[in-house]
Amino acid sequence: MHDQPRPFAVVVDTSRSPHARLRPVPLTAVTLADGFWAPRRRVNREITLPSQYRLLEETGRIDNFRRAAGKVDVPFQGRYYNDSDVYKWLEAVAWTLATGADPALAEMAGTVSAEIAGAQRPDGYLNTYFVRERAAERWTNLRDMHELYCAGHLIQAAIAHHRATGDDRLLRVACRLADHICDHFGPLEERERAGTSGHPEIEMALVELARETGEPRYREQALFFLDARGQGLIGGRAYHQDHEPFRELERMAGHAVRAVYLNAGATDLYAETGEADLRHVLDRLWRNMTARQMYVSGSIGSRYEGEAFGRDYELPNERAYAETCAAIGNVMWSWRLLALAGDARYADVLETALYNGVLPGLSLDGESYFYQNPLADDGTHRRQPWFGCACCPPNITRLLASLPGYFYSCSDAGLWVHLYAQGAAHIPLPDGRTVGLTQHTRYPWDGEVVIEIEGKGTFSLWLRIPGWCEEGATLEINGQPFTGLLTPGSYAEVRRAWRPGDVVRLNLPMPVRRVACHPYVTENAGRVALTRGPLLYCVEQADNSGLDPRDIVLPADANFTAEFRPDLLGGVVVLRGQAKVVPPDNAWTHHLYRTALPCSEREQGQPVEATAIPYYAWANREPGPMQVWLRLG
Amino acid sequence: MHDQPRPFAVVVDTSRSPHARLRPVPLTAVTLADGFWAPRRRVNREITLPSQYRLLEETGRIDNFRRAAGKVDVPFQGRYYNDSDVYKWLEAVAWTLATGADPALAEMAGTVSAEIAGAQRPDGYLNTYFVRERAAERWTNLRDMHELYCAGHLIQAAIAHHRATGDDRLLRVACRLADHICDHFGPLEERERAGTSGHPEIEMALVELARETGEPRYREQALFFLDARGQGLIGGRAYHQDHEPFRELERMAGHAVRAVYLNAGATDLYAETGEADLRHVLDRLWRNMTARQMYVSGSIGSRYEGEAFGRDYELPNERAYAETCAAIGNVMWSWRLLALAGDARYADVLETALYNGVLPGLSLDGESYFYQNPLADDGTHRRQPWFGCACCPPNITRLLASLPGYFYSCSDAGLWVHLYAQGAAHIPLPDGRTVGLTQHTRYPWDGEVVIEIEGKGTFSLWLRIPGWCEEGATLEINGQPFTGLLTPGSYAEVRRAWRPGDVVRLNLPMPVRRVACHPYVTENAGRVALTRGPLLYCVEQADNSGLDPRDIVLPADANFTAEFRPDLLGGVVVLRGQAKVVPPDNAWTHHLYRTALPCSEREQGQPVEATAIPYYAWANREPGPMQVWLRLG
């Protein structure tokens, strides 16, 4: 494998997957030069990754590898799954190095890679918790101890490192570990080696390793781990995604991150095998998630108990769990489903989750994180610089680092544009040609996107018409109106003989939308959320004269206007409109319940101008209450 | 103490408490002969208590005592706090025997008492978990291991047994354990013996034991345990009521049962000591609970995580935790606060919690139980015959068994009537006279209460005018209108020279009330709950043509009528009224979110007659969805 001529920097390599229509575009082929993502990626590179490295060292996470290698004689530090944080960070560094040299980061990555390699046992086993006094406990508790989970993250990091740098040393470590796993876990009739991981992750990793190395054994092992679920091998709980055989699942249940990671791995398997039953269950689960159990932010997993999916329509706002990693998992899974057939439903959810589910997890300064992402708060929920269970911070980091890889795909017939941002791409088509493409746009603040094509020949250009753009999308090619369909929530296919300098002008109007929620979501009855373009908005006390957002009531005909505020929160479009302030009357001070007043006696409230900011930017100023779903009245 | 001439069957004996205005009336002095409580108490005696005895035997809870005594050689069975279930059951049997002989129950109680006594160690220690191989671990983990909690329940059971039967054998066991505890836990400067219980209960028990025995040492020990909180001795978490010194608490937080049990114990202490700081914090906590954190059912503790109080106004309905034991704790605490000064606020909450918070915890047949009491459900939450953690079943049982003791009090100047039900009482006044009193009423189904007095002399009769009776209460004495105040949420004081045969006629109108909730309780916005008299109502699918209660919408002018249905659910008043059925339109099937429709385009719904039943009776028929808070529109 080391003779592969050039790195192929994609996260999910469906380029030879028989049941995926879309082929990936390497993130190295894409340049983001916009005012939204480019600054965030710069912070990711310059602030977040170095600060996380310091934290990995300070918390003993890297010393755990040194200890496993016999280099230091200290106790194991932190939680038994802490290796995974190191791997995710390393994956993020790999993608970052792929899009720009950075000697300091490269040195950190080299150090960490060497420590990882040094911790591998002679038989390929690698986990820093189960060494020395715990060596005999290896693989004895697959349900709880995250060994296969950590292995999966190592494999993903190694693939990233190889694809980004061409260096195959870590990939060899990963393959030795994967071989050890394949040797150890066999078919179910050999029960002493049966089992599956209490935390999915290995499935995605092994399929990707099969893609990277061409070794089918890894894919078969992933299928084995999937099939082992629901057999009672690891306790039978939904929390561990072991309550039913995978193909019999009817709805999303149990631990949200585990669930979407597993589904992402199963989607990877489907892309290779085309097994119809897998596709059916994946469709069923995705429909349940998006139509019954997903926040308007794209976040999932509403319950604190078990970090879990709840009942259908159980979506509390202030008490939302909505783990950042679960929204990232939603992006991961939706991306894989999108690749199967180019169905824009998945891209809509991916975009929503990216801007509104993942991004709030990171502070604007890049140094603090949300684990939970409530949609309402009293001002006490604040981002933290780190966690004992630090899964979210490096997970955000690796997604931001690999983000350019999510903008485009190609297929046999041409190019797909999923996401919009100022920037350029040089996309190798399957037939060997390369197409250059430049986006000129202020997206997500404005829906006008001008795309210049530098390429020649006949191919299709699929442009995503987002589902949120319900009316008025227009498309011109070299000044001529596009005559095909511009259906919201689909891709418009522009097929023509392109010439260098062709210009495509897409306009996606971004009125302020008042979004209603299904009436069975009890907390959102009689309320609306404000959105504009792909962005969800919220009302934060800081912009609203010290008012409690719970007291702000929108009139039925509220007319909000959008205004770009370059000075605010790194530059955001705010929404402003007339509302009323209706605080609880004094009689409520000492009572929770009272005889209902007739409608005519209800308080009418005082007029007030309300200002909403993008939800991703909340809790970046002084603490104060915040609310996404606003009362109507 | 064994020479005390007659049992004094009261749960909370404030008869000599210097800072309590109300004195208890023994439950033996009160006969309930009504159609509501009397049948329930008969089921409690005939069905529930014997069935719980069988379960205590079957689950090894009584064998644990035999094992501790060396009579059987089996492993400890169940959870480390299971002794407390036996004690609560025994307390319930004691109160039951006090109000009617029952040889079978008496024999069970004798057996259990003997097994308990046999399990006591020579030094007075008594806990069946910490014997044999765990004997050395006694008192080493006060935070988690419930030793003092179990001790408290033994003490309460022993007091009940003594007060109910005059037999002091179990009381002697309890005193030896209490002496052991007092010897072991000293002032804070002796740190090796410092500490307090992770689950309050011992405080109430020790104060009551001081009252029962006249031994002040027990009361001082209770104060020591209270003062030891918030010192970091047991970890400093709100869950264990250790996050702050008790007198500095600002709001109810942490595990709900622990919190109200502690507050009940602190109220007992206040009744003895009159310490102003204690009173202030108790008032503050009660205001926070009732005005910010209590369900309309009187249930408390809204969060599943930690079975805990949440933030102010965090009161989810379907996801309510609302443990039955917490509602019982609310009754216990409110009863003690009521005794301090005869403030009817506490009686209002007590009555609400009794009918609507506690009673739903038990099935109509007396053989299955709710641990959690949601205020909305999809039909899957069903009562269970028992639990691994079986705190609730015997807790309901002991409350029902002692219920007659909650109907009346006396004070220096006369008699207090707190609750209404057909029946009679022969109440010894402090001056030695006995007053006979008979209630004729169909309460809670009807608000007319005719009280015949058999007694002579001048004294006050305080009649509770419930807070729910907002208008139209009337009171006549021998046909003459009462000229004093009839303020809802207070006691009307009728002071006169009474003669035998005097008749008091109280009428408490029971219109159907539409109750609104504080606007900060998000799930209840735009909704009302129906109540009538002391009872909370709910809409269950079984009475509503198979409709999902979520689709039933009440018009703003809904007019509900009450109708007694003797055939239904043991005989209940149902509420019936015109409503609309507004199911989600088809467009919602595949979406959770969509652009809000203008008001004019919203669905108007089809007319339907809606029927509501008392909430306590829900889930006693075929499974189906239920809802307390109904949409208005």
Side-chain angles (χ1 to χ4, degrees):
Chain A
M1 63 192 91
H2 56 286
D3 57 359
Q4 189 167 326
R6 296 188 324 157
F8 184 65
V10 300
V11 180
V12 182
D13 182 6
T14 53
S15 54
R16 288 176 303 275
S17 303
H19 301 279
R21 180 181 184 192
L22 305 194
R23 315 266 177 263
V25 168
L27 55 100
T28 46
V30 180
T31 306
L32 298 178
D34 65 323
F36 192 90
W37 292 115
R40 285 181 164 70
R41 286 170 39 76
R42 188 162 55 245
V43 167
N44 202 45
R45 172 190 291 262
E46 295 174 1
I47 306 289
T48 311
L49 282 170
S51 75
Q52 290 186 354
Y53 177 73
R54 284 193 298 276
L55 284 158
L56 294 174
E57 283 283 16
E58 285 168 19
T59 59
R61 281 167 165 85
I62 302 173
D63 269 348
N64 286 340
F65 288 92
R66 298 186 181 108
R67 171 180 181 270
K71 296 182 188 171
V72 297
D73 195 17
V74 292
F76 180 88
Q77 290 175 75
R79 314 247 175 120
Y80 48 87
Y81 45 70
N82 275 2
D83 289 0
S84 61
D85 302 326
V86 177
Y87 299 143
K88 280 193 279 191
W89 173 86
L90 185 59
E91 181 184 340
V93 172
W95 300 132
T96 301
L97 294 176
T99 53
D102 190 313
L105 275 182
E107 192 185 326
M108 294 176 209
T111 301
V112 170
S113 295
E115 302 296 6
I116 293 169
Q120 190 164 40
R121 313 322 299 167
D123 64 355
Y125 183 86
L126 177 44
N127 185 295
T128 71
Y129 188 74
F130 291 101
V131 295
R132 301 194 180 193
E133 73 280 10
R134 293 196 199 86
E137 296 167 48
R138 284 183 193 180
W139 304 133
T140 55
N141 184 351
L142 295 185
R143 185 186 74 187
D144 299 320
M145 298 310 289
H146 288 60
E147 282 162 289
L148 289 167
Y149 169 84
C150 289
H153 278 300
L154 169 62
I155 293 167
Q156 288 186 329
I159 293 168
H161 198 250
H162 183 237
R163 289 179 180 172
T165 65
D167 182 338
D168 72 350
R169 285 175 294 178
L170 198 63
L171 188 63
R172 290 170 173 274
V173 170
C175 287
R176 287 175 58 212
L177 173 56
D179 290 339
H180 173 87
I181 290 169
C182 293
D183 292 344
H184 197 80
F185 294 95
L188 292 178
E189 41 272 29
E190 302 170 40
R191 302 286 294 191
E192 75 286 4
R193 301 197 296 168
T196 192
S197 180
H199 196 314
E201 155 68 23
I202 188 73
E203 299 82 0
M204 272 185 281
L206 285 172
V207 175
E208 205 62 34
L209 189 61
R211 290 165 174 164
E212 185 66 7
T213 62
E215 170 55 61
R217 179 187 195 199
Y218 301 138
R219 187 187 69 232
E220 285 152 20
Q221 188 65 34
L223 185 62
F224 166 83
F225 284 134
L226 183 75
D227 290 342
R229 294 185 182 275
Q231 313 292 337
L233 297 174
I234 54 166
R237 289 176 55 202
Y239 179 83
H240 302 107
Q241 302 297 310
D242 191 44
H243 52 309
E244 288 186 61
F246 186 77
R247 291 165 188 79
E248 296 172 22
L249 293 172
E250 291 291 336
R251 60 188 301 279
M252 301 294 280
H255 189 266
V257 174
R258 284 170 166 81
V260 282
Y261 276 34
L262 179 62
N263 295 358
T267 307
D268 283 332
L269 276 168
Y270 173 80
E272 304 306 313
T273 67
E275 183 200 328
D277 284 351
L278 266 191
R279 186 66 202 262
H280 293 151
V281 67
L282 290 166
D283 285 350
R284 199 156 66 225
L285 294 172
W286 202 82
R287 280 198 306 271
N288 172 262
M289 183 178 81
T290 55
R292 302 282 185 275
Q293 300 207 70
M294 188 176 76
Y295 284 99
V296 67
S297 60
S299 291
I300 49 173
S302 63
R303 269 195 197 167
Y304 267 72
E305 314 88 80
E307 311 186 314
F309 286 100
R311 290 184 176 179
D312 286 355
Y313 307 111
E314 180 185 328
L315 294 167
N317 291 313
E318 188 163 352
R319 200 64 190 156
Y321 197 75
E323 183 180 337
T324 303
C325 281
I328 292 169
N330 188 2
V331 168
M332 287 159 46
W333 184 28
S334 295
W335 175 248
R336 285 160 172 81
L337 289 167
L338 176 62
L340 298 183
D343 184 332
R345 294 184 293 166
Y346 305 117
D348 277 345
V349 168
L350 184 154
E351 185 183 54
T352 297
L354 177 63
Y355 280 103
N356 310 301
V358 177
L359 206 51
L362 183 64
S363 62
L364 295 180
D365 67 10
E367 294 195 281
S368 59
Y369 310 90
F370 276 145
Y371 200 106
Q372 301 91 11
N373 291 275
L375 278 76
D377 188 58
D378 64 2
T380 56
H381 187 64
R382 306 297 289 177
R383 293 184 187 82
Q384 302 298 316
W386 195 243
F387 305 99
C389 172
C391 51
C392 301
N395 221 359
I396 301 176
T397 307
R398 68 180 183 146
L399 180 57
L400 281 174
S402 61
L403 191 68
Y406 291 86
F407 272 68
Y408 304 97
S409 296
C410 51
S411 62
D412 291 343
L415 282 186
W416 299 68
V417 185
H418 306 302
L419 298 175
Y420 299 106
Q422 175 88 28
H426 297 275
I427 301 174
L429 291 187
D431 64 8
R433 282 175 298 169
T434 291
V435 175
L437 179 154
T438 306
Q439 290 194 35
H440 302 275
T441 179
R442 294 185 60 247
Y443 200 94
W445 307 123
D446 187 277
E448 183 163 272
V449 183
V450 176
I451 299 177
E452 284 181 78
I453 306 290
E454 293 298 326
K456 237 179 127 171
T458 298
F459 59 87
S460 292
L461 182 69
W462 280 273
L463 297 165
R464 178 168 155 260
I465 313 300
W468 54 256
C469 187
E470 296 186 316
E471 285 183 59
T474 61
L475 179 60
E476 290 176 2
I477 298 99
N478 297 331
Q480 298 301 308
F482 175 67
T483 54
L485 286 174
L486 291 172
T487 309
S490 76
Y491 288 86
E493 181 183 358
V494 185
R495 184 166 188 85
R496 56 183 268 124
W498 299 90
R499 298 170 184 227
D502 279 350
V503 171
V504 172
R505 184 179 297 267
L506 176 66
N507 193 36
L508 304 168
M510 290 186 173
V512 180
R513 262 178 99 201
R514 294 149 52 93
V515 173
C517 184
H518 192 290
Y520 287 173
V521 180
T522 326
E523 286 201 13
N524 297 345
R527 293 171 189 268
V528 292
L530 301 177
T531 67
R532 181 173 177 274
L535 295 179
L536 175 66
Y537 278 73
C538 69
V539 169
E540 209 175 25
Q541 190 171 45
D543 306 294
N544 289 280
S545 326
L547 291 175
D548 188 324
R550 293 179 295 189
D551 299 340
I552 294 176
V553 176
L554 303 190
D557 57 354
N559 189 14
F560 275 75
T561 55
E563 176 186 323
F564 187 69
R565 291 270 304 275
D567 55 311
L568 189 67
L569 296 162
V572 294
V573 166
V574 300
L575 309 182
R576 297 197 308 168
Q578 282 301 310
K580 297 181 294 182
V581 54
V582 188
D585 62 51
N586 289 337
W588 283 120
T589 309
H590 302 297
H591 297 283
L592 261 172
Y593 307 102
R594 69 184 188 199
T595 299
L597 298 176
C599 297
S600 57
E601 292 180 27
R602 290 188 194 137
E603 291 226 23
Q604 293 308 306
Q606 294 301 312
V608 68
E609 188 185 78
T611 299
I613 61 163
Y615 171 67
Y616 74 75
W618 83 280
N620 275 291
R621 295 171 292 180
E622 67 273 25
M626 176 281 293
Q627 198 143 318
V628 166
W629 289 95
L630 305 170
R631 287 161 66 190
L632 284 180
Chain B
M1 60 192 93
H2 57 288
D3 57 358
Q4 189 167 327
R6 297 188 323 159
F8 185 65
V10 300
V11 180
V12 183
D13 182 7
T14 53
S15 54
R16 289 176 302 275
S17 301
H19 302 279
R21 182 182 182 193
L22 305 195
R23 316 265 176 265
V25 168
L27 54 101
T28 46
V30 180
T31 307
L32 297 178
D34 66 322
F36 192 90
W37 292 114
R40 286 183 163 70
R41 286 171 38 77
R42 189 164 51 244
V43 166
N44 202 45
R45 173 191 291 263
E46 295 174 2
I47 307 290
T48 311
L49 282 170
S51 75
Q52 289 186 352
Y53 178 72
R54 285 192 298 276
L55 285 157
L56 294 174
E57 283 283 16
E58 285 168 21
T59 59
R61 282 168 164 87
I62 301 174
D63 269 349
N64 286 340
F65 288 92
R66 298 186 181 108
R67 170 181 183 267
K71 296 181 190 170
V72 297
D73 197 17
V74 293
F76 179 89
Q77 291 174 73
R79 316 247 174 120
Y80 47 87
Y81 45 70
N82 276 1
D83 289 0
S84 61
D85 302 327
V86 177
Y87 300 143
K88 280 193 278 190
W89 173 87
L90 186 59
E91 182 184 341
V93 172
W95 301 132
T96 300
L97 294 175
T99 53
D102 192 313
L105 276 182
E107 192 185 325
M108 295 175 207
T111 301
V112 171
S113 294
E115 302 296 6
I116 292 169
Q120 189 163 39
R121 314 321 299 166
D123 63 354
Y125 183 86
L126 177 43
N127 185 297
T128 72
Y129 188 74
F130 291 101
V131 296
R132 300 191 182 195
E133 74 280 8
R134 293 195 198 88
E137 296 168 47
R138 285 182 193 180
W139 304 133
T140 55
N141 184 350
L142 294 184
R143 185 186 73 186
D144 299 321
M145 299 309 289
H146 287 60
E147 284 163 287
L148 289 168
Y149 169 83
C150 289
H153 277 299
L154 169 62
I155 292 167
Q156 288 186 331
I159 293 169
H161 198 250
H162 182 238
R163 290 180 180 172
T165 65
D167 181 338
D168 72 350
R169 285 174 295 178
L170 199 63
L171 188 63
R172 289 168 175 274
V173 171
C175 286
R176 287 174 60 209
L177 174 55
D179 290 338
H180 173 88
I181 290 168
C182 292
D183 292 344
H184 197 82
F185 294 95
L188 292 176
E189 41 273 26
E190 302 170 38
R191 301 287 291 193
E192 76 285 4
R193 301 197 295 167
T196 193
S197 180
H199 196 314
E201 157 66 24
I202 188 73
E203 301 82 359
M204 269 186 281
L206 286 172
V207 175
E208 205 63 33
L209 190 61
R211 290 168 174 163
E212 185 66 6
T213 62
E215 170 55 63
R217 182 187 192 197
Y218 301 138
R219 187 186 68 234
E220 285 153 21
Q221 189 64 33
L223 184 62
F224 166 81
F225 283 134
L226 183 75
D227 291 342
R229 294 186 180 276
Q231 313 291 338
L233 297 174
I234 55 166
R237 288 177 55 204
Y239 179 83
H240 302 106
Q241 302 296 312
D242 191 45
H243 51 308
E244 288 186 62
F246 186 76
R247 292 165 188 78
E248 295 171 24
L249 294 171
E250 291 290 337
R251 60 188 301 279
M252 300 296 280
H255 189 267
V257 174
R258 283 170 166 81
V260 281
Y261 276 35
L262 180 62
N263 295 357
T267 307
D268 283 331
L269 276 168
Y270 173 80
E272 304 305 313
T273 66
E275 183 199 327
D277 284 352
L278 266 191
R279 186 65 202 261
H280 293 151
V281 67
L282 289 166
D283 285 350
R284 199 156 66 223
L285 293 173
W286 201 82
R287 279 198 307 272
N288 173 262
M289 182 178 81
T290 55
R292 302 282 185 275
Q293 301 207 70
M294 187 175 78
Y295 284 100
V296 68
S297 60
S299 291
I300 49 173
S302 63
R303 269 194 197 170
Y304 267 72
E305 315 88 80
E307 311 186 312
F309 286 98
R311 289 185 176 180
D312 286 355
Y313 307 110
E314 179 184 327
L315 294 167
N317 291 314
E318 190 164 353
R319 199 64 189 156
Y321 197 75
E323 184 181 338
T324 303
C325 280
I328 292 171
N330 189 0
V331 169
M332 287 159 44
W333 184 29
S334 294
W335 175 249
R336 284 160 171 79
L337 289 167
L338 175 62
L340 298 183
D343 186 332
R345 293 185 295 167
Y346 306 116
D348 277 345
V349 167
L350 183 155
E351 185 183 55
T352 297
L354 178 64
Y355 279 101
N356 309 302
V358 177
L359 206 50
L362 183 64
S363 62
L364 295 181
D365 67 9
E367 293 195 281
S368 61
Y369 309 91
F370 275 145
Y371 200 106
Q372 301 92 11
N373 292 275
L375 278 76
D377 188 57
D378 64 3
T380 56
H381 187 64
R382 304 298 288 178
R383 293 185 187 84
Q384 302 298 317
W386 196 244
F387 306 100
C389 172
C391 50
C392 300
N395 221 357
I396 302 176
T397 307
R398 65 178 185 148
L399 180 56
L400 282 174
S402 61
L403 191 66
Y406 290 85
F407 272 68
Y408 303 96
S409 297
C410 52
S411 63
D412 292 342
L415 283 187
W416 299 69
V417 185
H418 306 302
L419 299 175
Y420 298 106
Q422 176 87 28
H426 296 275
I427 301 174
L429 292 187
D431 64 9
R433 281 175 300 170
T434 292
V435 174
L437 180 153
T438 306
Q439 288 194 33
H440 302 275
T441 179
R442 295 185 61 247
Y443 201 93
W445 308 122
D446 185 277
E448 183 162 272
V449 184
V450 176
I451 299 177
E452 283 181 81
I453 306 289
E454 293 298 326
K456 235 176 123 171
T458 298
F459 59 87
S460 292
L461 180 70
W462 281 273
L463 297 166
R464 180 169 152 258
I465 312 300
W468 54 256
C469 186
E470 296 185 316
E471 283 183 62
T474 59
L475 179 59
E476 290 175 1
I477 297 99
N478 298 330
Q480 298 301 309
F482 174 66
T483 54
L485 287 174
L486 291 173
T487 310
S490 76
Y491 288 86
E493 181 183 358
V494 185
R495 185 167 186 84
R496 56 183 266 125
W498 297 91
R499 297 173 186 224
D502 279 352
V503 171
V504 172
R505 185 179 296 268
L506 176 66
N507 194 36
L508 303 168
M510 289 185 172
V512 180
R513 267 177 92 200
R514 294 150 52 93
V515 173
C517 185
H518 193 291
Y520 288 174
V521 179
T522 327
E523 287 201 14
N524 298 345
R527 291 172 190 267
V528 291
L530 301 177
T531 66
R532 181 173 177 274
L535 295 179
L536 175 66
Y537 278 73
C538 69
V539 169
E540 209 175 25
Q541 192 171 43
D543 306 295
N544 290 280
S545 326
L547 292 174
D548 189 325
R550 293 180 294 189
D551 299 340
I552 294 176
V553 176
L554 303 191
D557 57 355
N559 189 15
F560 274 76
T561 55
E563 175 187 323
F564 187 68
R565 291 271 303 276
D567 55 310
L568 189 68
L569 296 163
V572 294
V573 166
V574 301
L575 309 182
R576 297 199 306 168
Q578 282 301 312
K580 298 181 293 182
V581 53
V582 188
D585 62 52
N586 289 337
W588 282 119
T589 309
H590 302 296
H591 298 282
L592 262 174
Y593 307 102
R594 70 184 189 198
T595 299
L597 298 176
C599 295
S600 56
E601 292 180 27
R602 290 188 194 138
E603 292 224 24
Q604 294 308 305
Q606 295 300 311
V608 68
E609 187 185 77
T611 299
I613 61 163
Y615 170 67
Y616 74 76
W618 83 280
N620 275 289
R621 294 171 293 180
E622 67 272 25
M626 177 281 295
Q627 199 143 316
V628 166
W629 289 94
L630 305 169
R631 288 160 67 191
L632 284 180

